[in-house]
Amino acid sequence: MGKNKYIETPEELLNLWNEYKEHTKSNPRYKYELNRNGEPTPIPLEIPLTIQRFEIYVKNKYGWTIGQYFDNQDKLYNEYIAICSHIRTERIADQIEGGMVGQYNASITQRLNGLVEKTQTEVNITKFEFDE
């Protein structure tokens, strides 16, 4: 069964995830701010982990598509469910924790991960009757 899969074992998928994490965290994006002399100074920004960027990383480096492992396409990837769940949980934790400490945009992190602030408004209507 594993012969037709690009990634033959769940452990190999986890190794690819770890490779992607190492690559992502060691290759920050930069924003530029002007220093006191008016010269642009690069400020490194850590990149959050995403499944989309993981898929792009694997496709660019190895030429493989991996969405089917996460989607469990045609139930052919049942043995990958636990690893895919772990990867999703680790990705969510990275984004949420980064949002909580101000490393990533908190409102985008909330929306991407289905976290919403709920507010409840209670309205009381009282009907007054007057004698005529």
Side-chain angles (χ1 to χ4, degrees), residues 47-64:
I47 301 172
L49 302 174
T50 66
I51 298 298
Q52 294 84 357
R53 181 55 62 188
F54 177 43
E55 290 184 25
I56 292 167
Y57 175 82
V58 172
K59 180 69 174 172
N60 287 345
K61 185 163 185 182
Y62 299 101
W64 305 334

Side-chain angles (χ1 to χ4, degrees), residues 8-118:
E8 293 188 9
T9 67
E11 292 76 22
E12 287 180 40
L13 182 59
L14 183 59
N15 289 340
L16 286 171
W17 172 252
N18 289 331
E19 183 182 310
Y20 156 74
K21 285 189 319 185
E22 175 65 33
H23 172 79
T24 299
K25 297 304 180 180
S26 62
N27 289 288
R29 288 183 180 250
Y30 292 90
K31 72 175 182 176
Y32 292 85
E33 294 181 358
L34 298 179
N35 63 20
R36 285 187 256 171
N37 299 328
E39 300 165 345
T41 302
I43 309 294
L45 301 171
E46 185 172 318
I47 301 172
L49 302 174
T50 66
I51 298 298
Q52 294 84 357
R53 181 55 62 188
F54 177 43
E55 290 184 25
I56 292 167
Y57 175 82
V58 172
K59 180 69 174 172
N60 287 345
K61 185 163 185 182
Y62 299 101
W64 305 334
T65 57
I66 60 170
Q68 67 273 22
Y69 295 86
F70 289 91
D71 297 339
N72 195 12
Q73 183 179 327
D74 299 325
K75 305 289 185 226
L76 296 174
Y77 302 89
N78 286 334
E79 68 268 26
Y80 295 82
I81 290 172
I83 293 300
C84 290
S85 177
H86 168 77
I87 289 170
R88 282 187 184 105
T89 301
E90 193 169 359
R91 184 247 332 146
I92 290 167
D94 175 69
Q95 290 180 6
I96 291 172
E97 291 167 359
M100 291 174 74
V101 299
Q103 181 179 15
Y104 309 142
N105 182 297
S107 66
I108 292 173
T109 298
Q110 288 173 330
R111 279 182 263 148
L112 288 174
N113 292 294
L115 305 173
V116 294
E117 185 175 318
K118 294 182 181 179

